[in-house]
Amino acid sequence: MIPGSFDYHRPQSVSEAVGLLKDKGDEAFIVAGGHSLIPMMKLRMSTPEHLIDIQDIAEIKNISIFGSDVTIGAFVTQAEIISSEALHGICPVLREASLQIADPQIRNVGTIGGNVANGDPGNDMPAIMQALDATFVLAGEEGTREVKARDFYEAAYFTARAETEMLTLIKFTAPAAGHGSCYMKQKRKIGDYATAAAVVILTMNGTTVQNVEIALTNVADTPLYAEEANRLLIGTSLDDASIKAAVEAAKAITDPADDGRGPKDFRTHIAGVMVERAIRQAATTAS
Amino acid sequence: MSKMNVKMTVNGKEIESLSEPRTLLIHFLREDHKLKGPHIGCDTGHCGACTVDLDGKSVKSCMTFVGQANGANVTTIEGIANPDGTLHVLQEAFKEHHGLQCGFCTPGMITRAYRLLQENPSPTEKEIRYGISGNLCRCTGYQNIVKAISMAAQTLNTQEAAE
Ligand SMILES: Cc1cc2nc3c(=O)[nH]c(=O)nc-3n(C[C@H](O)[C@H](O)[C@H](O)COP(=O)(O)OP(=O)(O)OC[C@H]3O[C@@H](n4cnc5c(N)ncnc54)[C@H](O)[C@@H]3O)c2cc1C
Ligand code: FES
Ligand code: FES
């Protein structure tokens, strides 16, 4: 499978990349790792006339942590997220989830920016970014603007990013020290997108849930932030009845497609199973 | 659409071509430079038959445009053997422990294992299986591949201790 022809560009700065995006309009695409884009180009579902490779842009390649404020550059790879001890120390769910994305070779190349900007409901990072209440920084010709991960996803492959904007940074505040977390993903094999997956970030106050953030992957057109499920769990002692109520509330917002991963009802059922397991697992790591 | 000048160090040799930007690294290696070691199995990033080492990392060359690899240092299966032409310990181990049947997956498998053993010189069986999870083999059932990698790790560690 041979992709369509294009001209290749390798800008050295964000402003140069943004300038190219503006000049070339909707004929230009950013390529980060290319591990979502190249398959689409091989299928000719994507036929950009210009590819803008952002690998040389130094300002989007770092993970920086000040206290609990975390900033991750768009060009940080999944492998770099896995190997960052500092990041793992304050937000272990990112390593846990990254290890469930594809395989070692893909993780060496795939970037977090590509994963969240892509807009494919199968991508694992968007739901986690919603659970973390992350902010995406978008650079355009008029400067930068910020969009919350919870407001970013509109439909499959449609996001709040304009075609002339580039995602540069992802920012979030690490969950409180002592929080528990889990990313539970059911997939058919290594390298498969989720049949359904759930992220849970849980803060306890003694035996009572002080805060919880649940979000779901690949059971709708977009990642799903499970607001009602969160509300039902906060203030409870994580008793079986409360967990069941939260699971039902999470299932209620799903709308998965029938596909090779199973019929709609099955995938909604699995979403519920993932939510329950993730809650129970997160509870074991919370203190 | 204009062609671009692509330069890479492949197996220690500098090579150059004028390529269409849409050329994939696997085609650059196989078609333009006749390095037929890396194979095309799935063309979708799943099977790992096209695995090469790029700037010290295992990557799938069917999922990489030449431009992305421009200026890089690439090692393919052709560059794994020792400079005197004798087989690398991993290649010996695959031969010795029957780590292949049809051999289609083998170049990718060994190139991946080569990097894996540098990332983790003494992997457990579980770590080997996880480390090669991006490489599919339709013949062996993996048992002997895992054994070969594990034996190669032991040999390499013994050699290193002796040095
Ligand atoms: C075999 C295989 C299995 C996979 N399994 C999984 C999986 O289980 N879970 C998962 O989440 N992913 C999976 N992936 C996808 C992989 O994680 C991708 O690497 C990732 O989704 C996209 O990152 P990228 O850097 O490769 O982005 P690219 O492919 O380069 O880009 C993806 C899209 O985002 C845009 N883009 C990229 N960076 C920016 C930016 N900074 N600003 C604006 N737009 C940008 C591009 O224009 C493109 O439209 C798999 C891929 C393969 C090949
Ligand atoms: S041919 Fe590249 S992964 Fe299968
Ligand atoms: S030996 Fe035949 S595919 Fe692995």
Side-chain angles (χ1 to χ4, degrees):
Chain A
M1 294 182 292
I2 310 291
S5 294
F6 56 86
D7 282 331
Y8 174 86
H9 309 266
R10 227 202 238 200
Q12 302 296 311
S13 66
V14 170
S15 55
E16 196 187 332
V18 169
L20 281 163
L21 282 173
K22 177 179 171 266
D23 286 355
K24 313 294 181 195
D26 57 4
E27 305 300 340
F29 267 54
I30 286 175
V31 61
H35 278 26
S36 287
L37 183 59
I38 295 174
M40 297 293 275
M41 289 176 65
K42 287 185 178 183
L43 296 168
R44 305 281 174 122
M45 284 160 81
S46 180
T47 51
E49 289 182 12
H50 297 271
L51 272 199
I52 304 173
D53 183 344
I54 57 175
Q55 67 170 300
D56 284 348
I57 305 178
E59 50 204 286
I60 56 168
K61 289 196 189 182
N62 298 317
I63 300 175
S64 47
I65 301 172
F66 292 104
S68 57
D69 292 336
V70 180
T71 306
I72 305 180
F75 203 80
V76 169
T77 64
Q78 286 143 12
E80 286 161 350
I81 287 182
I82 291 166
S83 62
S84 169
E85 290 303 333
L87 187 59
H88 182 63
I90 58 171
C91 191
V93 75
L94 290 176
R95 177 185 291 174
E96 183 191 8
S98 298
L99 283 167
Q100 296 178 67
I101 295 178
D103 59 51
Q105 287 96 314
I106 309 277
R107 293 194 291 265
N108 277 337
V109 178
T111 65
I112 187 156
N115 202 291
V116 303
N118 195 27
D120 182 330
N123 282 133
D124 289 298
M125 282 297 165
I128 295 163
M129 294 302 139
Q130 293 195 332
L132 289 169
D133 198 16
T135 300
F136 299 155
V137 180
L138 302 171
E141 47 174 329
E142 266 128 47
T144 61
R145 67 182 181 113
E146 300 192 344
V147 181
K148 287 277 183 194
R150 290 176 192 171
D151 301 325
F152 188 72
Y153 299 95
E154 294 167 353
Y157 297 103
F158 286 93
T159 67
R161 183 182 70 88
E163 277 163 351
T164 50
E165 286 177 318
M166 168 179 167
L167 171 70
T168 54
L169 301 172
I170 296 164
K171 304 197 297 191
F172 62 89
T173 305
H179 76 276
S181 61
C182 178
Y183 188 62
M184 197 60 78
K185 172 176 175 180
Q186 202 209 64
K187 55 186 180 198
R188 296 166 302 178
K189 59 176 268 289
I190 287 226
D192 191 21
Y193 292 95
T195 302
V199 52
V200 172
I201 296 173
L202 176 70
T203 315
M204 299 296 287
N205 181 358
T207 54
T208 309
V209 176
Q210 188 178 344
N211 191 42
V212 64
E213 304 288 359
I214 302 174
L216 308 173
T217 298
N218 215 16
V219 281
D221 251 17
T222 63
L224 298 173
Y225 176 59
E227 212 165 346
E228 177 66 6
N230 297 338
R231 198 184 59 76
L232 290 171
L233 271 187
I234 292 172
T236 72
S237 62
L238 286 183
D239 54 287
D240 289 350
S242 304
I243 291 179
K244 188 159 193 301
V247 165
E248 290 310 319
K251 283 164 72 175
I253 59 172
T254 65
D255 184 18
D258 283 309
D259 69 9
R261 294 178 183 84
K264 202 172 150 72
D265 291 351
F266 172 73
R267 295 182 67 187
T268 293
H269 167 71
I270 295 299
V273 174
M274 293 299 105
V275 170
E276 174 162 1
R277 288 186 190 167
I279 293 171
R280 293 191 189 280
Q281 178 60 31
T284 66
T285 58
S287 57
Chain B
M1 309 267 152
S2 46
K3 288 197 173 185
M4 61 186 289
N5 195 37
V6 183
K7 224 194 232 175
M8 261 173 250
T9 307
V10 180
N11 302 327
K13 245 180 45 202
E14 231 180 59
I15 58 177
E16 208 172 340
S17 4
L18 201 57
S19 301
E20 270 194 75
R22 64 172 168 170
T23 310
L24 293 157
L25 179 58
I26 186 75
H27 294 134
F28 174 83
L29 295 169
R30 286 179 56 87
E31 310 304 327
D32 299 350
H33 297 284
K34 306 297 173 215
L35 291 164
K36 304 273 183 176
H39 288 157
I40 304 174
C42 64
D43 207 13
T44 60
H46 286 89
C47 76
C50 64
T51 299
V52 301
D53 208 67
L54 190 141
D55 287 338
K57 288 182 207 145
S58 304
V59 306
K60 294 183 171 173
S61 60
C62 74
M63 283 285 132
T64 309
F65 287 123
V66 273
Q68 294 177 284
N70 205 353
N73 200 334
V74 177
T75 306
T76 68
I77 187 69
E78 287 89 345
I80 300 279
N82 303 315
D84 65 2
T86 56
L87 293 183
H88 183 272
V89 170
L90 265 166
Q91 293 169 310
E92 281 292 354
F94 269 66
K95 192 173 118 188
E96 199 58 34
H97 299 282
H98 205 75
L100 61 146
Q101 287 178 28
C102 79
F104 193 86
C105 69
T106 315
M109 205 57 97
I110 292 183
T111 311
R112 171 61 197 137
Y114 168 80
R115 180 53 50 192
L116 173 65
L117 293 187
Q118 295 181 49
E119 293 161 353
N120 178 359
S122 306
T124 61
E125 177 185 332
K126 203 170 153 201
E127 287 166 345
I128 294 175
R129 287 185 186 275
Y130 195 66
I132 61 165
S133 58
N135 294 74
L136 301 181
C137 174
R138 299 288 80 173
C139 300
T140 63
Y142 301 98
Q143 208 66 23
N144 287 345
I145 292 177
V146 174
K147 194 157 115 199
I149 296 172
S150 169
M151 297 312 273
Q154 286 178 31
T155 310
L156 286 166
N157 289 335
T158 321
Q159 278 180 2
E160 192 157 312
E163 271 166 22

